């Protein structure tokens, strides 16, 4: 866990963690617990990449969760993630965009159309993360 503080978002105690694809290894949970025990607030990126059962286990750790806007292209996937946003299990909307291709940002407008009921909360959560404020898990 040496150097974990270098992963902080700005001057906050928030850390965005991108797990490997698939089911996380059992030791991953212990490591996440250890990071949280040091006072950091963990955000698991791209929860839509993992099998539903693995994501549910991650969310039991009382971490924050981010789902990609592209996850709302699928009817089934969009339903489970909408439910998780509605119940406060998923807190942030993000992407896997690593370049400035404008077409990729269209996923956000599509997702926000489908998430209109929760757009205000999602934006408030994003602002809270950037300000280093806590969000209820």
């Amino acid at each position: 866990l040496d150097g974990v503080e270098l992963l902080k978002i700005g001057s906050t105690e928030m850390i965005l963690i991108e797990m490997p694809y698939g089911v996380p290894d059992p030791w991953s949970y212990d490591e996440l617990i250890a990071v949280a025990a040091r006072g950091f607030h963990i955000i698991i990126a791209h929860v839509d990449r993992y099998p539903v059962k693995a994501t549910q286990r991650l969310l039991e750790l009382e971490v924050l969760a981010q789902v990609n806007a592209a996850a709302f292209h699928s009817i089934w996937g969009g339903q489970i993630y909408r439910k998780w946003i509605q119940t406060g299990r998923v807190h942030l909307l993000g992407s896997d965009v690593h370049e400035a291709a404008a077409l990729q940002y269209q996923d956000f407008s599509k997702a926000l159309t489908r998430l209109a009921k929760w757009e205000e909360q999602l934006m408030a959560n994003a602002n809270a993360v950037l300000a280093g404020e806590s969000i209820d898990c």
Side-chain angles (χ1 to χ4, degrees), residues 4-45:
V4 73
E5 64 280 348
L6 297 173
L7 300 174
K8 295 190 311 184
I9 298 172
S11 61
T12 73
E13 297 303 310
M14 305 283 187
I15 296 178
L16 181 68
I17 296 181
E18 184 169 341
M19 307 284 283
Y21 279 92
V23 178
D25 291 320
W27 60 264
S28 300
Y29 300 96
D30 294 335
E31 293 298 319
L32 291 172
I33 291 167
V35 169
R38 291 189 52 192
F40 297 109
H41 302 280
I42 298 169
I43 304 166
I44 302 293

Side-chain angles (χ1 to χ4, degrees), residues 1-99:
L1 293 177
D2 289 335
V4 73
E5 64 280 348
L6 297 173
L7 300 174
K8 295 190 311 184
I9 298 172
S11 61
T12 73
E13 297 303 310
M14 305 283 187
I15 296 178
L16 181 68
I17 296 181
E18 184 169 341
M19 307 284 283
Y21 279 92
V23 178
D25 291 320
W27 60 264
S28 300
Y29 300 96
D30 294 335
E31 293 298 319
L32 291 172
I33 291 167
V35 169
R38 291 189 52 192
F40 297 109
H41 302 280
I42 298 169
I43 304 166
I44 302 293
H46 317 301
V47 295
D48 48 294
R49 289 183 178 173
Y50 317 120
V52 171
K53 287 185 180 186
T55 301
Q56 289 173 326
R57 183 161 180 223
L58 285 169
L59 298 178
E60 289 171 5
L61 297 175
E62 296 188 15
V63 296
L64 298 175
Q66 174 264 323
V67 65
N68 286 338
F72 295 92
H73 286 231
S74 154
I75 302 254
W76 180 85
Q79 288 178 351
I80 187 96
Y81 304 123
R82 271 194 299 272
K83 180 179 177 184
W84 286 353
I85 290 169
Q86 179 181 10
T87 59
R89 298 185 80 195
V90 168
H91 311 88
L92 301 158
L93 183 65
S95 76
D96 220 2
V97 175
H98 294 274
E99 44 192 68

Side-chain angles (χ1 to χ4, degrees), residues 3 10 20 24 34 36 39 61 69 78 89 93 112 121 123 126 128 135:
L61 297 175
R89 298 185 80 195
L93 183 65
L112 288 174
Q121 184 61 50
M123 293 303 139
I135 299 171

